[in-house]
Amino acid sequence: MSNSVRESIGAHMGHNYVAMFGLTALPLVVGGISSYLTSDAMIQFDSFRQPPLSPPAWLFPVVWTALYLLMGAASYLLFRYVPTNGTEATMRHAALIIYGAQLAINFAWSLVFFGAEAHWAAFVLLMLMWVMIIALVILSFRMSKAAGWMLVPYLAWTTFAAYLNLMIAILN
């Protein structure tokens, strides 16, 4: 193997590690900033009248950390997906845009729910995010089964979060 081929392979692998780390870390950073900006969120959450099935406040950061890692890994798989035609290229592009948009809404939700204490507005945001996640899961399964499965827990938790958000809006 020539030096130029080895250098090309090494540069490509290095790029993949940077992309993998960056895309995996992105939702953790977004979640961390959101958590910082709403630092009293769990104290506030405990002060709400709670619906049935409401988990303890300590569980949320644990679950979100795992979900953010899965989301980041799934986004990396979508980023790495190599389309074979224009339709697949459009699908990949749409999935990455939806991923970014739902991540932005995910960030905004905490600020609206906890920061502004606008529970109904937060529920509307959550429903928009939920629809985007469904679209993202469908698109992901078409490109990468692994990415699709990595997003299923996020969809499930967001569905549960919608129930909690709705019930807290009703009860408080």
Side-chain angles (χ1 to χ4, degrees), residues 110-148:
S110 293
L111 301 177
V112 173
F113 187 87
F114 291 111
E117 295 187 41
H119 301 146
W120 287 107
F123 181 72
V124 171
L125 278 178
L126 195 56
M127 289 293 87
L128 177 60
M129 187 172 83
W130 186 74
V131 169
M132 289 180 161
I133 296 167
I134 289 171
L136 181 60
V137 168
I138 291 167
L139 287 170
S140 295
F141 269 115
R142 291 180 181 169
M143 292 176 281
S144 165
K145 298 282 187 227

Side-chain angles (χ1 to χ4, degrees), residues 79-95:
F79 174 77
R80 293 267 334 263
Y81 177 75
V82 179
T84 59
N85 58 48
T87 301
E88 288 182 358
T90 300
M91 186 170 50
R92 176 182 174 264
H93 184 72

